[in-house]
Amino acid sequence: QVQLVESGGGLVQPGGFLRLSCAASGTIFSIASMGWYRQAPGNERELVARVFAGGGTNYGDFVKGRFTISRDNAKNTVYLQMNSLKPEDTAVYYCNLRQPYDYWGQGTQVTVSS
C-alpha cells in the first residue's frame, strides 16, 4: 500500500517558476526510485525527471537545464524545481514511485500562460 500526494502546481506566466512536491506514504523500499512524468491533452505521458535512491538523476531531453529533481529520503518526498517555464510545459504532472512496481499520484496541473 503506497500513496503519493502531489502539490505545488498552478498557473504561472512564461518565464516563471514552480516547485512541485510529492510525499509518499506506506511501505517505501530504501532502493525505490521516484520521478516526475507529465501528460498534456492528446499527448503521451513522458518522463520529466527521475532520481534514484543513491542520488543519481535522469532528465527528459526537453528540460535543458531548467528543471531540477531532488529527494529527501527521510521524508520519502521528491521535489521538482521548474524554472524558466514555457507554455509547452503545460501539462498534468504525475509523481511516480518504482520499487519495482509503479505507483502513481493523482497529478497536479501546471499551466504556463499569460
Side-chain angles (χ1 to χ4, degrees):
Q1 298 181 210
V2 174
Q3 183 178 5
L4 305 175
V5 180
E6 302 104 331
S7 62
L11 173 64
V12 297
Q13 295 182 333
F17 58 90
L18 285 173
R19 192 189 192 202
L20 306 183
S21 298
C22 173
S25 61
T27 302
I28 310 300
F29 299 161
S30 62
I31 61 172
S33 66
M34 299 184 73
W36 291 94
Y37 291 71
R38 71 185 188 185
Q39 186 169 24
N43 295 343
E44 296 181 348
R45 187 171 298 188
E46 62 183 349
L47 172 69
V48 177
R50 177 165 295 280
V51 58
F52 300 93
T57 58
N58 182 252
Y59 293 93
D61 292 338
F62 57 85
V63 172
K64 297 181 179 180
R66 298 181 298 124
F67 297 177
T68 302
I69 189 170
S70 61
R71 69 186 294 174
D72 185 333
N73 289 332
K75 297 180 179 179
N76 289 319
T77 300
V78 64
Y79 307 93
L80 183 68
Q81 179 68 47
M82 303 186 294
N83 299 324
S84 301
L85 285 163
K86 305 175 181 179
E88 50 263 46
D89 294 320
T90 297
V92 177
Y93 285 69
Y94 296 92
C95 181
N96 169 261
L97 173 69
R98 183 167 292 157
Q99 58 174 16
Y101 305 104
D102 278 340
Y103 298 88
W104 296 93
Q106 292 290 90
T108 184
Q109 177 70 47
V110 172
T111 302
V112 185
S113 176
S114 298

